[in-house]
Amino acid sequence: TACDRVVVRASAGGSGAMTTGEASGGSSRPNGTAVARGLLEEVFTEEFFEKHWERRPLHFRASERGKTANRLPEALSVDDVAELVRRAGPSLKMFRRGEPVEAETFVEGYLEGATLVVNQADRCNETLFTLCRALAERLFMHVFSVVYLTPPGTQAVRMHTDDQDVFLLQVWGKKQWIIRDAPTKLPYTEEMLGKDAPVAEELVGEPIMEFTIEPHDVLYIPRGFLHEATTGDEPSLHVTVTVPTSDFCWGVQLVKHLMQQPHAESAQTPPLLKGFLGGGKEVDENELDSQLKGFVDNWLKGLTSSGVLDAFESRLERTNETQARQFGRQTEPRPGPPRVKEDSRVRLMSEVTCQCDEAAERAVFSCASDGMRLEMPIYRRCI
């Protein structure tokens, strides 16, 4: 399967060449902008925001509504995902049934039933980076993605809730999903369930949705809804497009704004409030109460909704700049030692052709049977 080929190719290393689909003009595959366009036109409709956004889950079935809402299966190749896994570094984690898996290599972990999870995968792949930035600019201000590559007959994480709104784009294979109602509506981060321990039985209601997700499907899960998924007799790859909504709510941003203000105005903080709470030192409680009340009154005097929004937008701007900077670093070309030298003998497999002009910088290998293509850099010192 495509999922298994990813693990094999990622472990074998490769050219490090990135393919960008429509962005490069050299392929009919859609780029991240085109993938975002499909979601914006078919999923993120007025009806979606009225009936589903932060209210209830949605399973957008490609078998009923067409494949153009989720074009990631067209956009991502085996080589793209293998390269993403190779570049992930510490962002690559392995889990099996809710527990982290310690293995010498990710191949060993995958063969033992562990799901490969690449956090912030948008930093490692141009299609995902462009997709996230396009959705952020149009709707959500900041978006990131996570890749889940799950072997057959297993489960990455046990039933749990998230503090983020997620859109799951199924790429390859299938998964069986069960979704239950939210024990806590719109939870904060500290209110998530099932992460460190199983969810308490009294909080687990009857399933409200049970289904199999297939390639080109889209699944939306609002934060707080209990969910779990397992693979059957085939592996699965899906990409989660994540909107960190609990961090974007007024409550969290108000706390961050109020915490930031005293540091910015440290010179105006009364001396008693800067002192150590312990140590047995006697403090005039009346004076302390007076300074505390005056400080809080002054603190709240300048509080406005526009000020909170301005500070939030400033933080988001820095977050997006960090995302772009990390993407640039992660996707820099990484030329390795040449694998084919002047005296090497090379025989192409059946139906595979190679285009390699004398002045070209890359050799392009194509397979007639499945339309796959692989670009490899040409090292001048070797020819």
Side-chain angles (χ1 to χ4, degrees):
T1 68
C3 296
D4 295 332
R5 294 205 306 273
V6 165
V7 177
V8 172
R9 295 190 187 187
S11 64
S15 67
M18 295 188 62
T19 53
T20 59
E22 289 178 353
S24 66
S27 169
S28 60
R29 291 194 289 133
N31 58 16
T33 303
V35 176
R37 189 183 308 125
L39 288 167
L40 289 166
E41 291 176 355
E42 300 196 38
V43 177
F44 300 135
T45 61
E46 219 173 285
E47 181 183 9
F48 168 78
F49 285 105
E50 287 177 358
K51 295 183 177 180
H52 293 278
W53 177 246
E54 294 199 321
R55 291 181 179 86
R56 62 181 183 180
L58 169 68
H59 179 202
F60 190 103
R61 298 177 186 269
S63 61
E64 299 173 357
R65 307 174 72 170
K67 298 180 177 180
T68 51
N70 170 16
R71 299 187 66 190
L72 269 187
E74 307 164 50
L76 294 177
S77 70
V78 168
D79 288 322
D80 290 334
V81 182
E83 182 67 17
L84 186 156
V85 171
R86 282 197 297 268
R87 291 177 178 271
S91 294
L92 174 62
K93 310 293 183 185
M94 293 183 285
F95 293 92
R96 183 176 57 238
R97 304 195 181 280
E99 300 297 331
V101 172
E102 299 294 334
E104 290 188 8
T105 67
F106 62 80
V107 177
E108 180 183 326
Y110 181 83
L111 293 176
E112 291 178 355
T115 294
L116 307 186
V117 181
V118 180
N119 293 309
Q120 297 184 330
D122 46 280
R123 273 69 162 175
C124 306
N125 176 271
E126 184 169 359
T127 298
L128 298 182
F129 173 77
T130 310
L131 165 64
C132 289
R133 294 307 290 263
L135 295 179
E137 290 171 7
R138 283 290 299 273
L139 292 174
F140 301 119
M141 299 172 286
H142 176 70
V143 176
F144 63 90
S145 65
V146 183
V147 167
Y148 293 83
L149 184 61
T150 305
T154 189
Q155 182 183 55
V157 292
R158 57 179 162 249
M159 180 172 54
H160 66 282
T161 65
D162 292 314
D163 62 345
Q164 304 160 334
D165 285 60
V166 295
F167 299 89
L168 293 93
L169 310 182
Q170 189 68 18
V171 181
W172 304 320
K174 300 177 182 179
K175 260 188 178 180
Q176 291 76 50
W177 283 85
I178 299 176
I179 300 178
R180 293 175 168 85
D181 204 0
T184 302
K185 301 295 184 183
L186 305 179
Y188 290 119
T189 300
E190 58 273 17
E191 295 176 309
M192 289 191 296
L193 302 172
K195 299 291 185 176
D196 300 320
V199 180
E201 288 187 18
E202 62 269 21
L203 298 178
V204 180
E206 291 297 316
I208 60 173
M209 296 174 69
E210 290 187 74
F211 55 89
T212 297
I213 195 170
E214 301 183 359
H216 292 281
D217 283 9
V218 180
L219 171 61
Y220 166 64
I221 306 178
R223 61 181 164 130
F225 279 77
L226 286 165
H227 57 277
E228 58 183 320
T230 56
T231 50
D233 57 3
E234 62 180 309
S236 163
L237 175 77
H238 78 259
V239 176
T240 297
V241 175
T242 305
V243 186
T245 40
S246 69
D247 197 44
F248 288 2
C249 69
W250 276 99
V252 169
Q253 291 305 316
L254 179 62
V255 170
K256 288 187 176 183
H257 183 66
L258 291 176
M259 287 178 64
Q260 198 173 22
Q261 199 171 354
H263 294 291
E265 302 173 2
S266 177
Q268 300 178 26
T269 304
L272 279 178
L273 299 188
K274 289 185 175 183
F276 179 49
L277 283 173
K281 181 181 178 181
E282 292 188 8
V283 177
D284 185 332
E285 289 190 10
N286 291 330
E287 178 61 22
L288 180 59
D289 289 344
S290 175
Q291 288 192 16
L292 186 61
K293 184 177 183 307
F295 177 72
V296 172
D297 288 345
N298 184 59
W299 198 6
L300 297 177
K301 193 183 302 180
L303 180 64
T304 63
S305 59
S306 60
V308 175
L309 280 174
D310 288 344
F312 170 55
E313 290 173 359
S314 179
R315 281 190 290 274
L316 275 186
E317 187 177 343
R318 293 194 297 272
T319 299
N320 285 328
E321 288 172 354
T322 300
Q323 182 185 37
R325 188 166 55 251
Q326 290 177 346
F327 166 73
R329 282 202 303 263
Q330 287 287 87
T331 55
E332 287 177 353
R334 301 178 182 179
R339 296 178 180 272
V340 179
K341 300 184 180 180
E342 188 175 4
D343 58 349
S344 299
R345 299 182 63 184
V346 178
R347 184 178 70 177
L348 298 179
M349 293 182 357
S350 174
E351 299 185 325
V352 174
T353 59
C354 176
Q355 181 180 349
C356 180
D357 298 329
E358 185 173 349
E361 295 182 353
R362 292 183 179 276
V364 181
F365 296 82
S366 304
C367 182
S369 60
D370 59 8
M372 292 182 58
R373 110 193 212 120
L374 171 67
E375 295 185 12
M376 297 182 67
I378 299 172
Y379 293 88
R380 294 294 164 192
R381 64 180 181 271
C382 304
I383 59 176

